[in-house]
DNA sequence: AGCACGCCGACT
DNA sequence: GTCGGCGTGCTC
């Protein structure tokens, strides 16, 4: 910690100079920590309030090298929140790494990952909240008996044995277990071991929706321990309270979404990343960090074990395990010996063609669904597209329901008779007739979950001969609080015959009575320009398949149906055999020959502007600048291209791919290049913003 | 990002 | 004559 004495205050009194990370976005140009004067020494990690321009902002005392000399007279710190224990050096190191790696300012990252409420508190209200937290001791160590732990399978036992041999050491383990193999039990036992050593455990899940279920499992097992959740669904007050409990060491288990990787945890003993392959771990705005990658780094930093779990690991993780950098633990069979669902590929080409219907529900699938209803079993029909139909169309004049502000169609939602743009949010009532020619006969093209629900209601019969009981779960049906929970409970209670949903239902939920899962129209991802689309599709379908037959007694009869126009595709062949390893190998071979990740490292430079010309010109200039840099030879900068949705809310979006053989080379280039872009920006009138995405997931 | 300052159109 | 539009620039 470098704190030097300065004597430049107006009244001539001696004072300390210290560095403070403050909340200032990347493009503000304030990329470093700022210097302030203080009358006494403050530990790094202490929360402070400081003047910045004409306002007061929250800051964190930062440990850093020698302060850069500055001409600006130092302003004094307004006050320090010393009631709060300072953030640890390890926490600061994690933030610093994140800022450097993802090319954002330290202050931006540090303040953005604190609970918003904490940034606004003054000393008095902080003291009040801390006092309230201090009151109740740990929830009575009443029923601590580990009486009824479920027996472990051999696979679970050997995974845990392997973890135990290096417990307390740093190191990453990949727990590769098929759906239903009991990964959660391994998490629970590994957590128990860390808790017994007096440590805290951090558990990451990809989606908010999955926290209640996992939280319940942990709460049931560790009834004598305090568990807190950290995710954006909490009220500001809850989030602050939970964060403080973690920070003060009162919470033994911290469970949350990607933001939780930054939880301040003084006695960290284990990090679990469930469904480590899930794209939701990548933050998509601001500092675009990967919570999974940061978890690995944090484990390394704090010398604790990191457990990455998945049935379909990301190829990056798989590759590292193959290289021996991660320890691989494999659980290839389901608990109770249940079989994986038999995969049936329905060749849509062989079905009689009906005019205008391209993605029909095939008769064999409808039969299979009907049979499940008769047998009082449940089915899940998966379609990754919400709304009634993706576009409306006028057959007379050719009008389509485009969004006036985006290069995208507006989706027809029949339930509330609206046309909605899923990109900018524009929502209007469906016009009575074609807006261009007045034709009253405008028709939906394609199908979303609303329409699928409607079609299934028409085509299936309930067990009593009446209407089938169909539930739909997607972002629309779960908008109001508690509605997802209510729908899930209806499914669990057997009040639903067929569950229709988007990927929201394919992930993680433990349905006991589902014996058939169907993917109605998954083909689009096979021909996406995004090289990761097949990996995502395979993971999603494997995960969806895993919803079937979770009750071992019914597993033998469970099936996964896939309707496709490309039944010979290698992805489906691998899916049919539940052969992740073969799929991963073929994908890695393709990636290797194409020089794509994990065999190269990517960054995307994005530019947003009112016109595509301005955005493109900025990126072209930026590419020219990059070519001048000493590290230019180590990277390839590709020409700018419009993003797949080129315009959103009247903003044109263009991006440029940067590729390098090594992470270090990419980092070197970005570190020297991006500062130049702050200056370049000023030369491009009409450029709204630029940003870099390191290790982008979608390109 | 805020929050200033700064120079041009429709109102009391 | 002012209120206010958002362009430009600065914050230790």
């Amino acid at each position: 910690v470098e704190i030097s004495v300065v004597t430049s205050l107006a009244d001539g009194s001696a004072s300390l100079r210290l560095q403070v990370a403050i909340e200032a976005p990347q493009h503000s140009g304030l990329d470093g920590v700022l210097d302030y004067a203080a009358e006494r020494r403050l530990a790094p990690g202490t929360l402070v309030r400081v003047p910045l321009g004409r306002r007061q902002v929250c800051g964190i005392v930062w440990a850093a090298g020698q302060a850069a000399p500055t001409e600006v007279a130092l302003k004094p710190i307004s006050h320090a929140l010393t009631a709060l224990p300072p953030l640890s050096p390890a926490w600061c190191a994690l933030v610093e790494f994140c800022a450097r790696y993802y090319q954002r300012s330290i202050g931006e990252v540090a303040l953005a990952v604190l609970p918003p409420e904490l940034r606004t508190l003054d000393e008095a209200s902080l003291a009040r909240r801390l006092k309230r937290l201090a009151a109740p001791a740990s929830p009575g160590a009443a029923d601590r008996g580990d009486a009824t732990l479920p027996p472990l399978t051999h696979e679970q036992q050997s995974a845990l044995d392997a973890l135990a041999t290096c417990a307390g050491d740093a190191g990453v383990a990949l727990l590769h277990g098929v759906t239903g193999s009991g990964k959660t039990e391994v998490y629970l036992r590994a957590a128990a071991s860390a808790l017994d050593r007096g440590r805290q455990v951090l558990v990451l899940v990809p989606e908010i929706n999955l926290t209640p279920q996992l939280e319940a499992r942990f709460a049931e097992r560790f009834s004598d321990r305090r568990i807190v959740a950290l995710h954006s669904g909490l009220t500001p007050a809850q989030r602050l309270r939970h964060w403080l409990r973690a920070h003060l060491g009162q919470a033994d288990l911290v469970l949350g979404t990607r933001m939780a990787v930054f939880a301040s945890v003084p006695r960290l003993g284990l990090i679990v990343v469930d469904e480590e392959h899930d794209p939701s771990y990548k933050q998509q705005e601001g500092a675009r960090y990967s919570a999974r990658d940061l978890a690995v780094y944090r484990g390394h930093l704090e010398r604790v074990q990191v457990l990455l779990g998945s049935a379909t690991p990301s190829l990056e993780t798989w590759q590292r395990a193959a290289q021996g950098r991660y320890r691989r633990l494999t659980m290839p069979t389901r608990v109770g010996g249940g079989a994986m669902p038999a995969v049936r590929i329905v060749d849509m080409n062989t079905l009689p063609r009906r005019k205008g219907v391209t993605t029909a529900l095939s008769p064999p699938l409808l039969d299979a669904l009907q049979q499940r209803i008769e047998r009082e079993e449940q089915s899940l029909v998966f379609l990754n597209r919400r709304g009634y139909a993706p576009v409306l169309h006028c057959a007379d004049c050719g009008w389509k329901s485009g969004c006036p502000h985006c290069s995208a169609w507006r989706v027809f939602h029949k339930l509330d008779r609206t046309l909605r743009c899923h990109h900018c949010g524009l929502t209007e009532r469906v016009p009575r007739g074609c807006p261009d020619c007045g034709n009253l006969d405008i028709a939906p093209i394609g199908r979303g979950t609303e329409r699928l629900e409607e079609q299934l209601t028409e085509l299936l019969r309930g067990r009593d001969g009446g209407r089938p009981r169909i539930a739909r779960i997607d972002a629309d049906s779960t908008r109001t609080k508690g509605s997802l929970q209510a729908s899930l409970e209806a499914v669990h209670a057997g009040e639903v015959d067929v569950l229709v949903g988007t990927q929201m239902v394919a992930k993680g939920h433990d349905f006991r009575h589902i014996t058939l899962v169907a993917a109605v129209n998954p083909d689009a991802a096979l021909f996406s320009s995004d090289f990761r689309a097949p990996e995502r599709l395979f993971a999603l379908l494997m995960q969806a398949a895993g919803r079937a037959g979770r009750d071992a007694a019914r597993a033998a009869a469970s099936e996964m149906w896939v309707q496709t126009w490309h039944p010979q595709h290698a992805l489906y062949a691998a899916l049919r055999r539940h052969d992740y390893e073969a799929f991963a190998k073929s994908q890695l071979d393709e990636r290797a020959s194409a020089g794509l990740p994990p065999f190269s490292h990517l960054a995307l430079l994005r530019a947003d502007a009112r016109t595509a010309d301005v955005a493109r010109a900025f990126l072209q200039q930026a590419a020219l600048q990059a070519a001048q840099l000493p590290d230019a030879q180590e990277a390839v900068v590709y020409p700018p291209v419009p993003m797949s949705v080129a315009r959103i809310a009247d903003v044109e979006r263009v991006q440029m791919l940067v590729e390098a053989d090594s992470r270090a080379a990419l980092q070197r280039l970005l570190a020297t290049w991006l500062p130049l872009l702050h200056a370049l920006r000023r030369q491009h009138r009409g450029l709204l913003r630029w940003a870099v995405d390191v290790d982008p997931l979608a390109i």
Side-chain angles (χ1 to χ4, degrees):
Chain A
V1 190
E2 304 294 331
I3 299 176
S4 53
V5 174
V6 295
T7 52
S8 59
L9 287 195
D11 62 2
S13 65
S15 168
L16 297 170
R17 160 186 293 215
L18 49 88
Q19 296 181 281
V20 179
I22 48 101
E23 188 174 10
Q26 182 71 346
H27 68 268
S28 67
L30 296 176
D31 56 331
V33 289
L34 301 185
D35 296 336
Y36 285 89
E39 285 169 9
R40 62 197 175 93
R41 232 188 143 88
L42 290 171
T46 303
L47 238 58
V48 291
R49 292 197 74 75
V50 293
L52 179 70
R54 232 139 285 218
R55 64 208 159 106
Q56 289 284 315
V57 296
C58 181
I60 300 170
V61 177
W62 212 253
Q66 194 59 54
T70 170
E71 303 305 310
V72 188
L74 297 188
K75 290 184 182 179
I77 279 173
S78 304
H79 60 263
L81 299 169
T82 45
L84 190 76
L87 292 152
S88 71
W91 187 90
C92 294
L94 179 67
V95 163
E96 215 163 300
F97 171 80
C98 178
R100 186 164 17 95
Y101 188 80
Y102 294 102
Q103 307 290 333
R104 312 292 297 199
S105 73
I106 288 174
E108 183 191 17
V109 175
L111 279 299
V113 302
L114 292 179
E117 192 91 331
L118 186 62
R119 307 198 294 250
T120 66
L121 288 186
D122 56 32
E123 275 169 302
S125 46
L126 176 66
R128 210 174 326 120
R129 281 166 209 251
L130 288 172
K131 195 175 172 188
R132 220 177 301 156
L133 283 186
S138 69
D143 43 354
R144 181 66 229 276
D146 28 12
T148 52
L149 292 184
L152 292 172
T153 65
H154 288 302
E155 291 170 1
Q156 287 171 328
Q157 187 62 59
S158 40
L160 285 164
D161 289 346
L163 288 174
T165 60
C166 50
D169 287 353
V172 182
L174 166 62
L175 181 62
H176 177 217
V178 298
T179 52
S181 61
K183 291 189 288 292
T184 306
E185 185 61 34
V186 176
Y187 303 156
L188 289 165
R189 302 288 182 117
S193 148
L195 294 171
D196 287 344
R197 298 197 309 272
R199 315 298 290 272
Q200 292 167 287
V201 176
L202 187 55
V203 182
L204 303 187
V205 290
E207 284 186 25
I208 281 186
N209 293 335
L210 299 173
T211 48
Q213 180 181 319
L214 205 62
E215 201 179 340
R217 288 279 308 263
F218 275 83
E220 186 191 5
R221 177 66 54 90
F222 303 110
S223 54
D224 57 333
R225 303 285 189 171
R226 175 124 55 193
I227 305 176
V228 296
L230 276 181
H231 54 74
S232 60
L234 303 174
T235 67
Q238 285 172 327
R239 193 158 147 197
L240 175 62
R241 194 168 65 236
H242 293 185
W243 187 91
L244 286 172
R245 286 211 188 282
H247 179 63
L248 299 171
Q250 295 175 358
D252 300 304
L253 289 142
V254 179
L255 199 149
T257 53
R258 59 174 180 268
M259 65 166 65
V261 76
F262 287 106
S264 168
V265 178
R267 294 176 284 111
L268 186 63
L270 172 72
I271 307 177
V272 174
V273 184
D274 189 23
E275 309 291 3
E276 67 84 26
H277 65 280
D278 199 294
S280 307
Y281 282 122
K282 187 81 167 33
Q283 172 87 22
Q284 287 301 340
E285 57 203 14
R288 296 177 161 235
Y289 62 86
S290 157
R292 180 244 289 148
D293 293 350
L294 288 182
V296 169
Y297 185 81
R298 186 168 184 180
H300 165 73
L301 203 62
E302 303 203 38
R303 314 294 303 155
V304 304
Q305 225 164 43
V306 180
L307 184 53
L308 306 178
S310 178
T312 51
S314 66
L315 293 176
E316 282 79 0
T317 296
W318 188 247
Q319 168 79 350
R320 289 178 180 207
Q323 292 167 339
R325 295 163 70 188
Y326 297 170
R327 177 188 283 249
R328 186 157 68 199
L329 313 170
T330 310
M331 301 202 299
T333 53
R334 289 183 138 181
V335 173
M340 292 302 288
V343 175
R344 302 202 39 173
I345 307 292
V346 181
D347 183 354
M348 300 299 280
N349 301 290
T350 65
L351 299 174
R353 301 222 172 198
R354 282 191 290 139
K355 204 170 48 175
V357 179
T358 51
T359 53
L361 284 161
S362 65
L365 174 59
L366 287 168
D367 284 348
L369 289 167
Q370 189 62 53
Q371 283 175 29
R372 305 284 151 161
I373 297 178
E374 314 293 340
R375 300 210 300 258
E376 280 188 275
E377 294 171 3
Q378 293 176 316
S379 304
L380 186 159
V381 184
F382 165 67
L383 176 63
N384 218 358
R385 169 174 271 161
R386 63 192 173 89
Y388 187 86
V391 59
L392 282 185
H393 175 238
C394 169
D396 274 13
C397 73
W399 172 85
K400 281 181 159 184
S401 56
C403 176
H405 307 293
C406 307
S407 46
W409 305 121
R410 276 181 298 168
V411 176
F412 174 37
H413 289 251
K414 193 176 181 183
L415 289 176
D416 56 4
R417 306 286 315 167
T418 57
L419 282 180
R420 304 222 286 258
C421 176
H422 288 181
H423 298 281
C424 73
L426 177 70
T427 302
E428 288 177 337
R429 280 195 69 78
V430 178
R432 194 162 270 292
C434 172
D436 283 2
C437 72
N439 172 24
L440 289 179
D441 188 23
I442 48 177
I445 296 183
R447 175 176 50 198
T449 45
E450 274 185 22
R451 192 176 197 180
L452 181 57
E453 179 185 15
E454 180 184 283
Q455 289 174 329
L456 289 169
T457 307
E458 285 167 14
L459 296 169
L460 298 174
R461 298 177 315 282
R463 206 158 154 273
D464 57 3
R467 311 187 109 217
R469 300 168 304 171
I470 298 184
R472 176 171 53 89
I473 294 185
D474 57 29
D476 299 311
S477 78
T478 57
R479 195 138 291 165
T480 58
K481 192 166 158 43
S483 55
L484 172 62
Q485 223 48 41
S487 300
L488 291 175
E489 273 158 32
V491 177
H492 293 312
E495 292 158 13
V496 169
D497 297 319
V498 180
L499 176 59
V500 170
T502 55
Q503 60 179 355
M504 192 180 281
V505 288
K507 293 182 184 180
H509 299 289
D510 197 1
F511 301 116
R512 307 310 293 189
H513 308 299
I514 285 181
T515 59
L516 186 154
V517 172
V520 173
N521 184 23
D523 281 347
L526 296 179
F527 307 100
S528 165
S529 60
D530 184 344
F531 69 89
R532 263 189 260 260
E535 180 186 352
R536 277 199 302 270
L537 177 61
F538 187 79
L540 202 51
L541 292 178
M542 285 280 278
Q543 216 157 20
R547 296 317 102 208
R550 294 182 71 84
D551 180 355
R554 304 181 193 227
S558 68
E559 292 178 344
M560 163 89 189
W561 287 57
V562 177
Q563 293 194 149
T564 175
W565 297 90
H566 305 275
Q568 72 296 337
H569 199 284
L571 189 150
Y572 295 134
L575 180 71
R576 177 184 241 148
R577 301 191 309 268
H578 302 282
D579 195 347
Y580 167 81
E581 298 200 20
F583 176 75
K585 181 177 187 319
S586 72
Q587 284 289 305
L588 282 172
D589 287 348
E590 275 181 39
R591 300 269 185 97
S593 58
L596 290 167
F599 302 96
S600 67
H601 293 85
L602 304 180
L604 278 177
L605 184 59
R606 289 187 37 189
D608 293 354
R610 281 290 161 211
T611 67
D613 283 347
V614 169
R616 203 178 313 108
F618 171 79
L619 292 178
Q620 278 160 351
Q621 288 283 118
L624 289 177
Q625 283 193 335
Q628 314 279 313
L629 295 171
D631 297 306
Q633 279 67 37
E634 295 190 86
V636 183
V637 178
Y638 290 92
V641 291
M643 294 186 59
S644 62
V645 181
R647 182 168 46 101
I648 289 181
D650 292 320
V651 172
E652 299 286 345
R653 308 147 74 231
V654 181
Q655 67 182 16
M656 189 163 78
L657 188 65
V658 185
E659 182 193 274
D661 287 343
S662 78
R663 213 177 274 281
L666 183 63
Q667 287 289 320
R668 271 197 301 278
L669 177 71
L670 294 177
T672 49
W673 185 20
L674 300 190
L676 304 177
L677 299 186
H678 289 290
L680 186 62
R681 179 186 201 272
R682 284 194 288 277
Q683 296 165 26
H684 290 261
R685 293 292 159 90
L687 183 73
L688 296 172
R689 59 192 155 251
W690 64 270
V692 66
D693 186 346
V694 181
D695 302 336
L697 270 194
I699 65 166

